[in-house]
Short mmCIF file of all heavy atoms in Angstrom, two decimals:
data_model
loop_
_atom_site.label_atom_id
_atom_site.label_comp_id
_atom_site.label_asym_id
_atom_site.label_seq_id
_atom_site.Cartn_x
_atom_site.Cartn_y
_atom_site.Cartn_z
N GLN Z 272 -4.91 9.91 12.19
CA GLN Z 272 -3.81 8.96 12.35
C GLN Z 272 -4.12 7.99 13.48
O GLN Z 272 -3.81 6.80 13.40
CB GLN Z 272 -2.53 9.73 12.64
CG GLN Z 272 -1.31 8.83 12.71
CD GLN Z 272 -0.02 9.61 12.76
OE1 GLN Z 272 -0.02 10.79 12.67
NE2 GLN Z 272 1.07 8.90 12.94
N GLU Z 273 -4.74 8.47 14.56
CA GLU Z 273 -5.02 7.60 15.71
C GLU Z 273 -5.98 6.48 15.30
O GLU Z 273 -5.82 5.32 15.67
CB GLU Z 273 -5.59 8.42 16.86
CG GLU Z 273 -4.61 9.38 17.51
CD GLU Z 273 -4.36 10.64 16.69
OE1 GLU Z 273 -5.11 10.86 15.71
OE2 GLU Z 273 -3.40 11.37 16.98
N THR Z 274 -7.03 6.84 14.54
CA THR Z 274 -7.99 5.83 14.09
C THR Z 274 -7.34 4.79 13.20
O THR Z 274 -7.56 3.61 13.33
CB THR Z 274 -9.15 6.50 13.35
OG1 THR Z 274 -9.75 7.46 14.21
CG2 THR Z 274 -10.19 5.48 12.92
N TRP Z 275 -6.46 5.32 12.29
CA TRP Z 275 -5.81 4.40 11.36
C TRP Z 275 -4.89 3.46 12.14
O TRP Z 275 -4.85 2.25 11.86
CB TRP Z 275 -5.00 5.21 10.36
CG TRP Z 275 -4.21 4.36 9.43
CD1 TRP Z 275 -4.67 3.72 8.31
CD2 TRP Z 275 -2.83 4.03 9.54
NE1 TRP Z 275 -3.63 3.03 7.71
CE2 TRP Z 275 -2.52 3.20 8.45
CE3 TRP Z 275 -1.84 4.36 10.46
CZ2 TRP Z 275 -1.23 2.71 8.26
CZ3 TRP Z 275 -0.55 3.87 10.28
CH2 TRP Z 275 -0.27 3.05 9.18
N GLN Z 276 -4.14 3.97 13.13
CA GLN Z 276 -3.26 3.11 13.89
C GLN Z 276 -4.04 2.06 14.68
O GLN Z 276 -3.60 0.94 14.80
CB GLN Z 276 -2.40 3.99 14.82
CG GLN Z 276 -1.35 4.81 14.09
CD GLN Z 276 -0.61 5.76 15.03
OE1 GLN Z 276 -1.14 6.16 16.05
NE2 GLN Z 276 0.59 6.12 14.63
N ALA Z 277 -5.18 2.45 15.22
CA ALA Z 277 -5.98 1.48 15.95
C ALA Z 277 -6.47 0.39 15.04
O ALA Z 277 -6.44 -0.79 15.38
CB ALA Z 277 -7.18 2.20 16.61
N ARG Z 278 -6.94 0.80 13.80
CA ARG Z 278 -7.40 -0.21 12.86
C ARG Z 278 -6.27 -1.12 12.41
O ARG Z 278 -6.40 -2.32 12.35
CB ARG Z 278 -8.01 0.49 11.61
CG ARG Z 278 -8.51 -0.48 10.57
CD ARG Z 278 -9.11 0.26 9.38
NE ARG Z 278 -8.13 1.09 8.73
CZ ARG Z 278 -7.23 0.61 7.86
NH1 ARG Z 278 -7.19 -0.69 7.59
NH2 ARG Z 278 -6.36 1.41 7.27
N ARG Z 279 -5.09 -0.49 12.13
CA ARG Z 279 -3.97 -1.31 11.65
C ARG Z 279 -3.46 -2.24 12.73
O ARG Z 279 -2.94 -3.32 12.47
CB ARG Z 279 -2.84 -0.36 11.21
CG ARG Z 279 -1.76 -1.07 10.40
CD ARG Z 279 -0.81 -0.07 9.80
NE ARG Z 279 0.12 -0.71 8.92
CZ ARG Z 279 1.02 -0.07 8.18
NH1 ARG Z 279 1.11 1.24 8.22
NH2 ARG Z 279 1.85 -0.73 7.40
N GLY Z 280 -3.66 -1.81 14.01
CA GLY Z 280 -3.22 -2.65 15.13
C GLY Z 280 -3.95 -3.96 15.19
O GLY Z 280 -3.50 -4.90 15.84
N THR Z 281 -5.14 -4.05 14.57
CA THR Z 281 -5.90 -5.29 14.57
C THR Z 281 -5.52 -6.21 13.45
O THR Z 281 -5.97 -7.34 13.38
CB THR Z 281 -7.40 -4.99 14.47
OG1 THR Z 281 -7.66 -4.40 13.19
CG2 THR Z 281 -7.86 -4.01 15.57
N GLU Z 282 -4.67 -5.76 12.52
CA GLU Z 282 -4.26 -6.54 11.39
C GLU Z 282 -2.89 -7.21 11.67
O GLU Z 282 -2.22 -6.86 12.62
CB GLU Z 282 -4.15 -5.63 10.16
CG GLU Z 282 -5.47 -4.98 9.79
CD GLU Z 282 -5.28 -3.92 8.72
OE1 GLU Z 282 -4.11 -3.62 8.40
OE2 GLU Z 282 -6.30 -3.40 8.21
N PRO Z 283 -2.50 -8.22 10.83
CA PRO Z 283 -1.17 -8.80 11.00
C PRO Z 283 -0.08 -7.75 10.95
O PRO Z 283 -0.24 -6.72 10.28
CB PRO Z 283 -1.09 -9.77 9.82
CG PRO Z 283 -2.50 -10.07 9.46
CD PRO Z 283 -3.25 -8.82 9.74
N ALA Z 284 0.99 -7.99 11.67
CA ALA Z 284 2.08 -7.01 11.75
C ALA Z 284 2.63 -6.71 10.35
O ALA Z 284 2.86 -7.61 9.55
CB ALA Z 284 3.21 -7.59 12.61
N VAL Z 285 2.78 -5.42 10.10
CA VAL Z 285 3.37 -4.97 8.83
C VAL Z 285 4.87 -4.92 8.98
O VAL Z 285 5.40 -4.20 9.83
CB VAL Z 285 2.82 -3.58 8.44
CG1 VAL Z 285 3.54 -3.05 7.22
CG2 VAL Z 285 1.33 -3.67 8.16
N GLU Z 286 5.58 -5.70 8.21
CA GLU Z 286 7.04 -5.80 8.33
C GLU Z 286 7.78 -4.92 7.37
O GLU Z 286 8.99 -4.72 7.49
CB GLU Z 286 7.46 -7.26 8.13
CG GLU Z 286 6.84 -8.20 9.16
CD GLU Z 286 7.22 -9.64 8.89
OE1 GLU Z 286 8.24 -9.89 8.23
OE2 GLU Z 286 6.46 -10.54 9.34
N LEU Z 287 7.06 -4.36 6.36
CA LEU Z 287 7.67 -3.49 5.35
C LEU Z 287 6.60 -2.58 4.78
O LEU Z 287 5.48 -3.02 4.55
CB LEU Z 287 8.32 -4.34 4.27
CG LEU Z 287 9.04 -3.63 3.12
CD1 LEU Z 287 10.20 -4.48 2.60
CD2 LEU Z 287 8.10 -3.33 1.94
N ASP Z 288 6.94 -1.33 4.58
CA ASP Z 288 6.04 -0.40 3.92
C ASP Z 288 6.65 0.00 2.58
O ASP Z 288 7.83 0.39 2.51
CB ASP Z 288 5.80 0.86 4.77
CG ASP Z 288 4.63 0.71 5.72
OD1 ASP Z 288 3.63 0.09 5.33
OD2 ASP Z 288 4.72 1.20 6.86
N VAL Z 289 5.83 -0.06 1.55
CA VAL Z 289 6.20 0.44 0.23
C VAL Z 289 5.79 1.90 0.14
O VAL Z 289 4.59 2.22 0.28
CB VAL Z 289 5.53 -0.38 -0.92
CG1 VAL Z 289 5.99 0.16 -2.28
CG2 VAL Z 289 5.86 -1.86 -0.75
N VAL Z 290 6.75 2.79 0.00
CA VAL Z 290 6.47 4.22 -0.05
C VAL Z 290 6.55 4.71 -1.47
O VAL Z 290 7.56 4.53 -2.15
CB VAL Z 290 7.46 4.99 0.87
CG1 VAL Z 290 7.23 6.51 0.75
CG2 VAL Z 290 7.34 4.56 2.30
N ILE Z 291 5.45 5.32 -1.93
CA ILE Z 291 5.34 5.78 -3.32
C ILE Z 291 4.90 7.23 -3.30
O ILE Z 291 3.86 7.58 -2.76
CB ILE Z 291 4.33 4.96 -4.12
CG1 ILE Z 291 4.64 3.46 -4.07
CG2 ILE Z 291 4.27 5.45 -5.55
CD1 ILE Z 291 3.57 2.58 -4.67
N ALA Z 292 5.73 8.10 -3.88
CA ALA Z 292 5.35 9.51 -4.08
C ALA Z 292 4.74 9.64 -5.46
O ALA Z 292 5.29 9.10 -6.45
CB ALA Z 292 6.58 10.42 -3.93
N THR Z 293 3.67 10.39 -5.58
CA THR Z 293 2.99 10.52 -6.87
C THR Z 293 2.43 11.91 -7.02
O THR Z 293 2.06 12.58 -6.03
CB THR Z 293 1.87 9.48 -7.02
OG1 THR Z 293 1.31 9.54 -8.31
CG2 THR Z 293 0.77 9.68 -5.98
N ARG Z 294 2.37 12.37 -8.26
CA ARG Z 294 1.74 13.64 -8.56
C ARG Z 294 1.21 13.64 -10.01
O ARG Z 294 1.98 13.54 -10.96
CB ARG Z 294 2.74 14.79 -8.39
CG ARG Z 294 2.14 16.20 -8.57
CD ARG Z 294 3.09 17.29 -8.09
NE ARG Z 294 2.44 18.57 -8.11
CZ ARG Z 294 2.64 19.49 -9.06
NH1 ARG Z 294 3.46 19.24 -10.06
NH2 ARG Z 294 2.01 20.67 -9.02
N ASP Z 295 -0.08 13.74 -10.14
CA ASP Z 295 -0.76 13.85 -11.44
C ASP Z 295 -0.40 12.69 -12.39
O ASP Z 295 -0.38 12.87 -13.62
CB ASP Z 295 -0.44 15.17 -12.11
CG ASP Z 295 -1.02 16.36 -11.34
OD1 ASP Z 295 -2.10 16.20 -10.77
OD2 ASP Z 295 -0.37 17.41 -11.30
N ARG Z 296 -0.10 11.54 -11.87
CA ARG Z 296 0.16 10.37 -12.72
C ARG Z 296 -1.16 9.90 -13.33
O ARG Z 296 -2.16 9.82 -12.62
CB ARG Z 296 0.78 9.26 -11.89
CG ARG Z 296 1.15 8.01 -12.68
CD ARG Z 296 2.26 8.28 -13.68
NE ARG Z 296 3.52 8.59 -13.05
CZ ARG Z 296 4.61 8.97 -13.72
NH1 ARG Z 296 4.56 9.10 -15.04
NH2 ARG Z 296 5.73 9.24 -13.08
N PRO Z 297 -1.19 9.57 -14.62
CA PRO Z 297 -2.42 9.04 -15.22
C PRO Z 297 -2.94 7.86 -14.42
O PRO Z 297 -2.16 7.00 -14.00
CB PRO Z 297 -1.97 8.62 -16.63
CG PRO Z 297 -0.81 9.53 -16.92
CD PRO Z 297 -0.13 9.73 -15.62
N PRO Z 298 -4.28 7.80 -14.21
CA PRO Z 298 -4.83 6.76 -13.33
C PRO Z 298 -4.45 5.35 -13.71
O PRO Z 298 -4.18 4.51 -12.84
CB PRO Z 298 -6.35 6.97 -13.45
CG PRO Z 298 -6.49 8.41 -13.81
CD PRO Z 298 -5.31 8.73 -14.68
N HIS Z 299 -4.38 5.04 -15.02
CA HIS Z 299 -4.09 3.65 -15.42
C HIS Z 299 -2.68 3.26 -15.05
O HIS Z 299 -2.38 2.10 -14.79
CB HIS Z 299 -4.36 3.43 -16.90
CG HIS Z 299 -3.39 4.14 -17.80
ND1 HIS Z 299 -3.49 5.48 -18.09
CD2 HIS Z 299 -2.31 3.68 -18.49
CE1 HIS Z 299 -2.51 5.84 -18.91
NE2 HIS Z 299 -1.79 4.76 -19.18
N LYS Z 300 -1.73 4.22 -15.01
CA LYS Z 300 -0.37 3.93 -14.63
C LYS Z 300 -0.30 3.56 -13.15
O LYS Z 300 0.35 2.53 -12.77
CB LYS Z 300 0.52 5.14 -14.89
CG LYS Z 300 0.68 5.50 -16.36
CD LYS Z 300 1.86 4.79 -16.94
CE LYS Z 300 2.17 5.32 -18.35
NZ LYS Z 300 3.36 4.72 -18.92
N LEU Z 301 -0.90 4.37 -12.33
CA LEU Z 301 -0.92 4.11 -10.89
C LEU Z 301 -1.69 2.84 -10.59
O LEU Z 301 -1.33 2.05 -9.70
CB LEU Z 301 -1.47 5.29 -10.11
CG LEU Z 301 -1.41 5.23 -8.61
CD1 LEU Z 301 0.04 5.02 -8.12
CD2 LEU Z 301 -1.98 6.51 -8.00
N ALA Z 302 -2.77 2.60 -11.34
CA ALA Z 302 -3.55 1.39 -11.16
C ALA Z 302 -2.71 0.15 -11.42
O ALA Z 302 -2.77 -0.81 -10.65
CB ALA Z 302 -4.75 1.41 -12.10
N ALA Z 303 -1.90 0.18 -12.48
CA ALA Z 303 -1.05 -0.96 -12.79
C ALA Z 303 0.00 -1.19 -11.69
O ALA Z 303 0.33 -2.32 -11.35
CB ALA Z 303 -0.38 -0.75 -14.14
N CYS Z 304 0.54 -0.07 -11.16
CA CYS Z 304 1.51 -0.16 -10.09
C CYS Z 304 0.91 -0.84 -8.86
O CYS Z 304 1.50 -1.76 -8.28
CB CYS Z 304 1.99 1.25 -9.74
SG CYS Z 304 3.14 1.33 -8.34
N LEU Z 305 -0.30 -0.41 -8.47
CA LEU Z 305 -0.96 -0.99 -7.30
C LEU Z 305 -1.37 -2.43 -7.54
O LEU Z 305 -1.28 -3.27 -6.65
CB LEU Z 305 -2.19 -0.13 -6.92
CG LEU Z 305 -1.89 1.26 -6.38
CD1 LEU Z 305 -3.19 2.02 -6.18
CD2 LEU Z 305 -1.10 1.17 -5.08
N ASP Z 306 -1.84 -2.72 -8.75
CA ASP Z 306 -2.27 -4.08 -9.05
C ASP Z 306 -1.13 -5.07 -8.93
O ASP Z 306 -1.28 -6.17 -8.45
CB ASP Z 306 -2.90 -4.12 -10.44
CG ASP Z 306 -3.56 -5.45 -10.73
OD1 ASP Z 306 -4.50 -5.81 -9.97
OD2 ASP Z 306 -3.16 -6.12 -11.67
N ALA Z 307 0.06 -4.65 -9.39
CA ALA Z 307 1.22 -5.53 -9.24
C ALA Z 307 1.56 -5.80 -7.78
O ALA Z 307 1.97 -6.90 -7.41
CB ALA Z 307 2.43 -4.92 -9.97
N LEU Z 308 1.38 -4.78 -6.94
CA LEU Z 308 1.63 -4.98 -5.50
C LEU Z 308 0.60 -5.91 -4.88
O LEU Z 308 0.92 -6.62 -3.89
CB LEU Z 308 1.62 -3.64 -4.79
CG LEU Z 308 2.80 -2.70 -5.11
CD1 LEU Z 308 2.60 -1.33 -4.49
CD2 LEU Z 308 4.13 -3.32 -4.63
N ARG Z 309 -0.60 -5.97 -5.42
CA ARG Z 309 -1.62 -6.91 -4.92
C ARG Z 309 -1.19 -8.35 -5.11
O ARG Z 309 -1.64 -9.23 -4.36
CB ARG Z 309 -2.94 -6.70 -5.65
CG ARG Z 309 -3.68 -5.42 -5.30
CD ARG Z 309 -4.97 -5.33 -6.06
NE ARG Z 309 -5.84 -6.44 -5.78
CZ ARG Z 309 -6.57 -7.10 -6.69
NH1 ARG Z 309 -6.49 -6.75 -7.97
NH2 ARG Z 309 -7.35 -8.07 -6.34
N HIS Z 310 -0.32 -8.60 -6.08
CA HIS Z 310 0.05 -9.98 -6.42
C HIS Z 310 1.43 -10.39 -5.86
O HIS Z 310 2.05 -11.32 -6.36
CB HIS Z 310 0.01 -10.16 -7.93
CG HIS Z 310 -1.36 -10.01 -8.51
ND1 HIS Z 310 -1.87 -8.80 -8.92
CD2 HIS Z 310 -2.33 -10.93 -8.72
CE1 HIS Z 310 -3.10 -8.98 -9.38
NE2 HIS Z 310 -3.41 -10.26 -9.27
N GLN Z 311 1.86 -9.70 -4.83
CA GLN Z 311 3.13 -10.09 -4.18
C GLN Z 311 3.00 -11.38 -3.43
O GLN Z 311 1.96 -11.65 -2.76
CB GLN Z 311 3.61 -8.97 -3.26
CG GLN Z 311 3.99 -7.68 -3.97
CD GLN Z 311 5.18 -7.86 -4.88
OE1 GLN Z 311 6.26 -8.27 -4.44
NE2 GLN Z 311 5.00 -7.56 -6.15
N THR Z 312 4.07 -12.19 -3.44
CA THR Z 312 4.04 -13.45 -2.68
C THR Z 312 4.18 -13.20 -1.20
O THR Z 312 3.72 -13.99 -0.38
CB THR Z 312 5.16 -14.38 -3.15
OG1 THR Z 312 6.44 -13.72 -3.02
CG2 THR Z 312 4.95 -14.75 -4.64
N PHE Z 313 4.85 -12.11 -0.81
CA PHE Z 313 4.99 -11.75 0.58
C PHE Z 313 3.81 -10.85 0.96
O PHE Z 313 3.46 -9.92 0.23
CB PHE Z 313 6.31 -10.96 0.79
CG PHE Z 313 6.60 -10.60 2.21
CD1 PHE Z 313 7.27 -11.50 3.03
CD2 PHE Z 313 6.25 -9.36 2.72
CE1 PHE Z 313 7.55 -11.18 4.35
CE2 PHE Z 313 6.52 -9.04 4.02
CZ PHE Z 313 7.18 -9.94 4.84
N ARG Z 314 3.14 -11.15 2.06
CA ARG Z 314 1.86 -10.50 2.35
C ARG Z 314 1.94 -9.47 3.48
O ARG Z 314 1.04 -8.63 3.60
CB ARG Z 314 0.80 -11.53 2.73
CG ARG Z 314 0.61 -12.62 1.69
CD ARG Z 314 0.29 -12.03 0.29
NE ARG Z 314 -0.86 -11.15 0.29
CZ ARG Z 314 -1.15 -10.35 -0.71
NH1 ARG Z 314 -0.37 -10.28 -1.79
NH2 ARG Z 314 -2.22 -9.56 -0.65
N HIS Z 315 2.95 -9.54 4.34
CA HIS Z 315 2.95 -8.68 5.54
C HIS Z 315 3.59 -7.31 5.23
O HIS Z 315 4.62 -6.94 5.80
CB HIS Z 315 3.68 -9.38 6.70
CG HIS Z 315 3.08 -10.68 7.06
ND1 HIS Z 315 1.76 -10.83 7.43
CD2 HIS Z 315 3.62 -11.93 7.10
CE1 HIS Z 315 1.50 -12.11 7.68
NE2 HIS Z 315 2.61 -12.80 7.49
#
C-alpha cells in the first residue's frame, strides 16, 4: 500500500474512486465494464 500511495501521489489528484466488487465474472464482461470507464469524459 505504501508503494502504491507513493506512486499515486505523483499523479493528478483523484477526486472520485469507482469501487467495483467482483467474483468469477466472465472476463469479457469485466473487460467491457473497464473499457467503458476508459472512455469517461471526466479524467480525475
Side-chain angles (χ1 to χ4, degrees):
Q272 184 171 356
E273 291 77 12
T274 303
W275 176 81
Q276 287 174 336
R278 180 180 63 80
R279 193 170 186 176
T281 66
E282 299 171 352
V285 172
E286 299 177 22
L287 181 149
D288 271 322
V289 181
V290 176
I291 305 172
T293 185
R294 185 167 187 259
D295 295 325
R296 182 66 66 187
H299 69 281
K300 294 269 189 175
L301 187 56
C304 176
L305 291 174
D306 189 59
L308 291 172
R309 289 180 59 221
H310 295 89
Q311 293 295 303
T312 59
F313 185 86
R314 303 308 303 168
H315 302 304

